[in-house]
Amino acid sequence: MTAAAAAGAAGRVAPRGLLRAAIAVEARKSRSAHVILWTTVLLVVGIGALTLGILAAVAAGEEQVIAKLGPLAGVGGWAGLVGIVVQVTAAGGLAAFGVALSWMFGREFADGTVAALFALPVPRAAIALGKLIVFAVWSIMVAVLLTIVVAGVGLVLGYGATDAAGFGELARLPVLVVLTALLAVPAAWASTLGRGLLPGIATTIGIIVVAQVLAIADVGTWVPIVAPALWAIAPDTEPAAALLTVPSVPLVFGALCTLAWSRLQLDR
């Protein structure tokens, strides 16, 4: 191999190695972070407990809870259980994922650790990409854990082993959780531009408000920030093809976030 060829090969390998290093460091940070731990507990145990509370209220004939659930209050079995979990997750999942992403990116500025990142051999764009990859893997883990918890709740409630139809109901949960997590990626970009946690949290709240308004106005079927919730709540009437619009959000804002990190300056 010539020197030029060796240099070229090294150039191709080094970025992958640096990205792996960034992912390993960010994964270790997340494993040690109380924010990520408690967000996981909130999303998994919290949603499971809240669902049990809603089911108990319906069984006790609480009129206000029954009125808020609407037709779903009369649906039993796996369909009713998953329907309630989907509504809770669609409303609270985006907020929880937005807070987690705001912390992952904003804490570097809030804690003053961003200056140390300029001394590392790992490009800052690779650090940002590593954070996003760790976040994506974590969201998949949360989706799997929540599905397991909901399946356990259904078995405890005596719904029995689920059939193909029940499995289809449960399968909506991990899809909704992962897509909801992807919709929170703008929070990472906002936390980077705003150099702190609050801009990311504010952006997440803004997305939730806009999504609620569009859903109420019944114009959100093909809007990425609304499509997953509408499909998960009413899969028989909402087109699954609308979910294909969701990746546009993490792709666009993930690229903007990575670009922003590659151009970070310390004198701001």
Side-chain angles (χ1 to χ4, degrees):
M1 179 181 293
T2 65
R12 291 193 297 273
V13 172
R16 290 197 295 269
L18 295 175
L19 179 58
R20 284 197 294 270
I23 293 172
V25 171
E26 295 303 328
R28 186 168 183 177
K29 287 181 185 177
S30 296
R31 286 198 302 271
S32 304
H34 290 172
V35 172
I36 300 300
L37 173 62
W38 284 108
T39 303
T40 304
V41 172
L42 174 67
L43 285 169
V44 177
V45 180
I47 290 177
L50 184 58
T51 301
L52 281 174
I54 293 174
L55 289 172
V58 172
E62 293 287 344
E63 294 182 358
Q64 290 186 349
V65 176
I66 294 174
K68 289 182 179 180
L69 287 177
L72 185 60
V75 179
W78 289 102
L81 172 63
V82 174
I84 293 174
V85 175
V86 162
Q87 290 205 2
V88 175
T89 304
L94 182 56
F97 285 122
V99 169
L101 259 182
S102 298
W103 177 85
M104 292 176 72
F105 283 83
R107 67 169 291 274
E108 304 287 5
F109 304 96
D111 295 346
T113 56
V114 66
L117 301 180
F118 282 77
L120 297 177
V122 180
R124 290 179 297 283
I127 294 174
L129 187 57
K131 290 178 182 291
L132 292 173
I133 291 173
V134 169
F135 172 76
V137 173
W138 170 67
S139 68
I140 293 173
M141 294 172 60
V142 170
V144 172
L145 288 174
L146 178 60
T147 305
I148 292 173
V149 167
V150 172
V153 169
L155 293 174
V156 170
L157 292 176
Y159 295 157
T162 180
D163 54 12
F167 181 79
E169 297 286 348
L170 279 174
R172 279 186 285 151
L173 280 180
V175 175
L176 174 64
V177 172
V178 173
L179 293 181
T180 300
L182 294 179
L183 293 177
V185 171
W189 184 52
S191 289
T192 301
L193 296 182
R195 294 182 169 244
L197 282 72
L198 291 181
I201 295 173
T203 298
T204 303
I205 295 173
I207 294 173
I208 294 172
V209 171
V210 172
Q212 291 287 337
V213 171
L214 291 175
I216 293 174
D218 198 22
V219 294
T221 297
W222 295 93
V223 178
I225 61 174
V226 187
L230 291 182
W231 168 80
I233 293 173
D236 294 333
T237 57
E238 297 295 330
L243 301 181
L244 297 176
T245 64
V246 176
S248 63
V249 174
L251 288 176
V252 170
F253 287 94
L256 288 173
C257 185
T258 303
L259 178 63
W261 271 70
S262 70
R263 297 181 175 180
L264 276 181
Q265 300 292 328
L266 281 177
D267 57 351
R268 282 189 53 199

